[in-house]
Amino acid sequence: MSEHKYWKGRNILRVDQFTKADLDWLFAVTREMLFIVDNKLPNTLLQGYCMTTLFYEPSTRTSSSFCSAMERLGGSHHQINGVKYSSVAKGESVHDTVRTLAELFDVIVMRHPEQGIIPNVAEASRVPLISGGDGIGEHPTQALLDVYTILRELERPLNPDLHVVMIGDLKYGRTIHSLSRLLAMYEVPLGFYAPDSLDLPEALSAELAAQTKIAHYASIEDAIKEADVFYVTRIQRERFVNPADYDQLKGSYQVTSELMKHAKPKMALMHPLPRVDEIERTVDTDSRAAYFRQIRYGLAVRMALLALVLGKREPYVSLA
Ligand code: NCD
């Protein structure tokens, strides 16, 4: 039997739901989508389909990129960003909100500050539910676009020869939690550098160590030297209970043009964005700075995801 499962109707909730075969197919469709974007090809694949984005937390890239993805495939979208204007403000449960939206739309993209709530309400939806991030939990579509970016930027396969280093807020950063899990599936060695108290959660650290090699660095210079990918994140200010704790940590690390001199000539400097001050603006013109290209890859990955969960690009499934 083929390793592929059907994509149609699937929810996208966490990265451990994917197999390598899933990613191979997703990225094959992504290439097709990138061609549509780059050549401004009119496309009607999702004509007649409507998507809603239900965001209980701020977002620029994730919600806009899903909306752009839908439009480029001929579909339409509706955004619920300020939940204060929706029935949530009247005390409606998330479960009922999701159940209602599933009657109105063909796919729901949702972001929520509470870890685990999106997988928990998935059964309320009879249409595909895509997580756009659940608190400090996971951000699966970001991890998928991050992996695609790595493959395109480095033109190398994911395997134990590649070294990916992640820095910043490893404790609260959900993009780190998802990406590290996905890379561990390919046994990619992972390096980490974080300010004190923002280290990886212990359970995640143990989960990763069971699958791949892990290193922790004491200095940012040591961390960048060996990196094929240097993945930078901001300190997640909104997750701190005590603002004084954030103030103590802010500005404690920064990628500067000077630091980039320690990096390999061929490497990818990535960031899920938004950035605060973790990467100096002068670094943006460095050819290794991939964080704005990452957004374009993300658009294509999300076009592919929408096409797949709406049943428009099913892989060939062998019955043998
Ligand atoms: C990330 C997120 O929301 O987790 N942003 C994004 O979706 N690109 C990262 C962050 O907010 O720091």
Side-chain angles (χ1 to χ4, degrees):
M1 247 278 277
S2 154
E3 232 187 318
H4 289 300
K5 285 191 213 123
Y6 289 104
W7 273 88
K8 185 178 178 178
R10 266 207 220 174
N11 298 319
I12 300 191
L13 305 172
R14 350 179 157 76
V15 292
D16 69 2
Q17 72 183 82
F18 297 114
T19 61
K20 291 182 184 174
D22 285 334
L23 266 60
D24 288 347
W25 182 243
L26 171 68
F27 295 153
V29 179
T30 299
R31 284 191 93 88
E32 185 194 337
M33 298 301 167
L34 211 45
F35 188 79
I36 292 174
V37 172
D38 288 347
N39 294 288
K40 309 266 177 291
L41 299 179
N43 193 284
T44 55
L45 192 67
L46 298 184
Q47 198 168 45
Y49 288 85
C50 285
M51 172 190 79
T52 186
T53 53
L54 173 65
F55 276 52
Y56 293 80
E57 263 191 356
S59 166
T60 307
R61 264 148 300 270
T62 305
S63 65
S64 314
S65 111
F66 271 108
C67 292
S68 177
M70 201 64 190
E71 285 193 19
R72 283 164 192 275
L73 292 176
S76 60
H77 62 81
H78 172 258
Q79 285 178 273
I80 308 174
N81 284 333
V83 286
K84 63 173 184 273
Y85 301 118
S86 74
S87 283
V88 173
K90 299 182 190 168
E92 184 172 58
S93 69
V94 178
H95 182 280
D96 283 0
T97 304
V98 168
R99 183 145 187 198
T100 302
L101 294 175
E103 295 299 322
L104 302 172
F105 296 95
D106 304 299
V107 55
I108 303 171
V109 183
M110 178 178 173
R111 171 173 286 185
H112 197 282
E114 195 181 317
Q115 182 175 8
I117 194 164
I118 302 177
N120 286 343
V121 295
E123 46 89 29
S125 178
R126 62 180 187 85
V127 301
L129 180 68
I130 301 178
S131 168
D134 62 326
I136 62 167
E138 284 222 27
H139 194 344
T141 68
Q142 178 71 41
L144 294 169
L145 80 86
D146 290 340
V147 168
Y148 188 70
T149 303
I150 294 173
L151 293 170
R152 292 298 297 255
E153 288 288 311
L154 296 180
E155 298 168 297
R156 283 171 61 179
L158 300 179
N159 61 30
D161 293 333
L162 197 71
H163 190 58
V164 177
V165 177
M166 301 184 190
I167 79 156
D169 191 341
L170 311 178
K171 181 178 179 187
Y172 297 126
R174 57 191 170 202
T175 65
I176 298 272
H177 301 163
S178 289
L179 179 60
S180 59
R181 288 189 170 108
L182 219 41
L183 293 173
M185 177 166 88
Y186 292 88
E187 293 166 57
V188 171
L190 302 173
F192 296 103
Y193 171 75
D196 282 346
S197 79
L198 293 183
D199 246 319
L200 272 190
E202 266 174 39
L204 176 57
S205 197
E207 185 187 321
L208 300 173
Q211 296 178 77
T212 191
K213 272 198 218 140
I214 298 226
H216 290 272
Y217 295 101
S219 79
I220 194 168
E221 287 81 8
D222 286 345
I224 204 167
K225 258 195 302 214
E226 296 173 9
D228 296 308
V229 174
F230 202 59
Y231 190 94
V232 186
T233 58
R234 73 180 170 98
I235 299 181
Q236 306 278 303
R237 176 185 205 153
E238 66 278 26
R239 312 288 178 211
F240 285 76
V241 184
N242 182 359
D245 292 343
Y246 171 79
D247 290 340
Q248 272 203 333
L249 292 167
K250 75 173 181 210
S252 53
Y253 56 93
Q254 193 182 39
V255 177
T256 59
S257 301
E258 196 47 43
L259 184 77
M260 287 300 284
K261 291 184 185 154
H262 297 268
K264 290 183 181 178
K266 173 121 177 127
M267 56 86 82
L269 178 66
M270 293 171 56
H271 193 309
L273 301 176
R275 95 175 121 183
V276 183
D277 55 5
E278 318 74 54
I279 303 181
E280 211 178 47
R281 287 275 291 279
T282 54
V283 177
D284 295 359
T285 50
D286 190 306
S287 60
R288 296 165 292 184
Y291 32 93
F292 290 108
R293 292 192 289 275
Q294 208 173 330
I295 296 170
R296 179 173 141 272
Y297 293 133
L299 170 63
V301 167
R302 289 180 172 130
M303 289 166 75
L305 284 171
L306 289 169
L308 287 166
V309 299
L310 292 171
K312 296 295 182 178
R313 281 288 182 278
E314 210 59 81
Y316 169 71
V317 179
S318 163
L319 298 176

